[in-house]
Amino acid sequence: MTSELIICIPGTWTDRSDLLRRVITSEPEGRYIFAGMVLADVEAKDHVPLEFCPAAPHIPRAFETAGQGKIPSEILVRLCEHTSVVYLHFPPDLL
């Protein structure tokens, strides 16, 4: 069995094109690219698989549970407003 570290990032991207636009225009501009199912850091010459998914209704509750009461209520409210989710897949030996 292969293990990996998966990071879940809820967001307000309307679709993959919106995510792409925001990635390539984020500061520092031009450092990151998103092509196919890969997010690449041009400067670090590194990349990770990226999975773009529609909103998931269980996300706010999952974050609330995993946060063990340490996530501020205003963040939990914002999680209810997410329109999509990005999953980054990292190797278990991430440096």
Side-chain angles (χ1 to χ4, degrees):
M1 173 168 68
T2 304
S3 62
E4 63 183 342
L5 169 66
I6 300 174
I7 298 178
C8 169
I9 306 170
T12 56
W13 312 285
T14 55
D15 55 24
R16 288 177 63 87
S17 296
D18 185 31
L19 173 64
L20 172 62
R21 181 183 54 77
R22 293 196 208 183
V23 166
I24 63 175
T25 60
S26 67
E27 295 295 328
E29 197 166 323
R31 178 170 179 175
Y32 301 99
I33 58 172
F34 173 48
M37 294 185 66
V38 175
L39 177 65
D41 181 338
V42 176
E43 184 178 304
K45 296 183 170 86
D46 202 0
H47 64 280
V48 295
L50 182 149
E51 182 180 357
F52 179 86
C53 299
H58 67 277
I59 292 286
R61 179 74 176 131
F63 272 73
E64 181 179 21
T65 301
Q68 301 178 5
K70 297 177 183 167
I71 298 177
S73 59
E74 57 270 10
I75 299 295
L76 295 172
V77 168
R78 290 187 65 196
L79 284 169
C80 293
E81 300 167 356
H82 80 285
T83 57
S84 52
V85 181
V86 167
Y87 297 97
L88 299 175
H89 297 255
F90 292 92
D93 60 349
L94 175 69
L95 297 176

